[in-house]
Amino acid sequence: MNTEFLNSIIQRQNQQQVVPSNQMIANWAQSLLNLIFPERGASTNYNQDVLKGVFFELKEELQLILKSTKSPNKALNKGIADAFFDRLPEVYRKLNTDLVSLVDGDPAAQSEFEIIRCYPGFFAVAMYRFAHELHLLEVPHIPRIITEYAHTVTGIDIHPAAEIGEYLYIDHGTGLVIGETTIIGSHVKLYQGVTLGALSVDKSKSNTKRHPTIGNHVIIYSGATILGGETVIGDHSVIGGNVWLTVSVPEGSTVYHQVEIKIKEKNS
């Protein structure tokens, strides 16, 4: 093989930051989700002491992951892991509000078990909520690896830096995109193919708010595209399917895309 080509790869190897495999990180996040929602796995019967032990093991595993990606300083990594697990009860509370939104809002949902075990929206939001807390703790790489794993599995792309309120309802969800600087209020319903994106992909705007703000109790139907950091969707608004929006709409708005449909009957 070409010597220059081989030397190029060796140089990249020498410059590479050591990070655990994506699968190891994803397995950690899934193990945590399976622990707090045992409906996802085989039947368990943990008492408090055993449960504390399993949480401790997951905290130790997080510290090992952080050791390669944050700092060789063991005390710092322990502090981040401790802080994450201190926040876990609040993350669990928020996930239960997301669960309630799906149980109450989806006529096809038969039970909490079905949603926890089967619904891609719930899984993607759970991975986002774990990743978001790590993002707030300024952990590099790991948050994005977690949400991109969920993206691969579900087709739902949520950036870990997005700010999302309680009772998030994602129905179906395939093709849904929530950009980095998006802000979403509480009791929001999002359907498949929705894009909450940026007007421009100019790199010089990377430190600005590029994605929209969605108010409380907003419904955005499938295929809608809402772009721009200055675009605000007011509370209690409904955005219809296939709408393209780059401007703000006031509270209580209904926005829809009107299409003229003609049906030509076959001559009898």
Side-chain angles (χ1 to χ4, degrees), residues 21-52:
S21 71
N22 287 12
Q23 192 60 56
M24 176 183 175
I25 294 166
N27 288 345
W28 171 83
Q30 289 191 95
S31 294
L32 182 59
L33 182 61
N34 295 349
L35 183 60
I36 63 177
F37 288 100
E39 294 92 337
R40 287 183 48 81
S43 177
T44 54
N45 189 22
Y46 293 154
N47 59 35
Q48 283 202 13
D49 288 338
V50 174
L51 194 56
K52 286 178 182 178

Side-chain angles (χ1 to χ4, degrees), residues 151-162:
H151 182 194
T152 301
V153 172
T154 67
I156 298 169
D157 183 1
I158 309 176
H159 195 285

Side-chain angles (χ1 to χ4, degrees), residues 97-114:
T97 70
D98 302 326
L99 183 59
V100 167
S101 73
L102 284 163
V103 170
D104 292 346
D106 185 358
Q110 299 297 311
S111 65
E112 288 189 357
F113 178 89
E114 180 183 18

Side-chain angles (χ1 to χ4, degrees), residues 2-267:
N2 182 285
T3 302
E4 184 180 351
F5 169 66
L6 295 175
N7 287 337
S8 166
I9 295 174
I10 291 170
Q11 184 178 7
R12 291 181 73 96
Q13 288 176 345
N14 292 335
Q15 294 172 344
Q16 179 184 346
Q17 181 177 353
V18 178
V19 178
S21 71
N22 287 12
Q23 192 60 56
M24 176 183 175
I25 294 166
N27 288 345
W28 171 83
Q30 289 191 95
S31 294
L32 182 59
L33 182 61
N34 295 349
L35 183 60
I36 63 177
F37 288 100
E39 294 92 337
R40 287 183 48 81
S43 177
T44 54
N45 189 22
Y46 293 154
N47 59 35
Q48 283 202 13
D49 288 338
V50 174
L51 194 56
K52 286 178 182 178
V54 179
F55 275 121
F56 179 79
E57 290 174 1
L58 286 170
K59 185 188 292 188
E60 290 281 295
E61 188 175 352
L62 178 57
Q63 284 183 241
L64 290 174
I65 292 170
L66 291 170
K67 184 177 180 182
S68 296
T69 58
K70 181 63 179 175
S71 167
N73 186 322
K74 186 176 180 181
L76 177 60
N77 294 327
K78 183 178 185 304
I80 293 172
D82 286 343
F84 174 84
F85 277 87
D86 285 345
R87 297 180 186 189
L88 190 59
E90 176 63 10
V91 174
Y92 177 68
R93 186 192 67 79
K94 288 181 179 178
L95 282 171
N96 275 289
T97 70
D98 302 326
L99 183 59
V100 167
S101 73
L102 284 163
V103 170
D104 292 346
D106 185 358
Q110 299 297 311
S111 65
E112 288 189 357
F113 178 89
E114 180 183 18
I115 292 166
I116 293 167
R117 183 65 76 91
C118 304
Y119 275 42
F122 183 76
F123 179 79
V125 172
M127 293 295 103
Y128 154 77
R129 294 210 184 276
F130 292 161
H132 183 66
E133 293 303 323
L134 292 170
H135 167 78
L136 293 176
L137 291 166
E138 300 182 353
V139 174
H141 310 311
I142 304 305
R144 196 66 187 271
I145 289 171
I146 291 171
T147 55
E148 286 303 326
Y149 175 77
H151 182 194
T152 301
V153 172
T154 67
I156 298 169
D157 183 1
I158 309 176
H159 195 285
E163 299 177 25
I164 300 177
E166 302 174 4
Y167 295 93
L168 179 64
Y169 174 104
I170 293 179
D171 195 8
H172 304 297
T174 306
L176 173 67
V177 177
I178 300 176
E180 178 185 16
T181 61
T182 304
I183 298 174
I184 298 175
S186 296
H187 298 276
V188 170
K189 289 187 175 184
L190 303 174
Y191 289 81
Q192 67 272 17
V194 168
T195 298
L196 304 179
L199 271 170
S200 170
V201 292
D202 189 335
K203 189 67 174 180
S204 66
K205 297 182 179 180
S206 61
N207 293 320
T208 63
K209 190 179 187 314
R210 309 181 308 282
H211 305 89
T213 297
I214 311 300
N216 301 311
H217 298 276
V218 171
I219 302 173
I220 306 177
Y221 284 104
S222 59
T225 298
I226 303 174
L227 306 178
E230 296 182 2
T231 304
V232 178
I233 307 302
D235 294 351
H236 299 280
S237 292
V238 177
I239 310 301
N242 298 318
V243 163
W244 180 283
L245 263 181
T246 59
V247 295
S248 298
V249 299
E251 180 178 346
S253 298
T254 299
V255 183
Y256 59 91
H257 176 68
Q258 189 169 6
V259 179
E260 184 180 359
I261 298 176
K262 294 182 179 180
I263 300 175
K264 184 177 180 181
E265 295 184 6
K266 185 178 179 180
N267 293 333

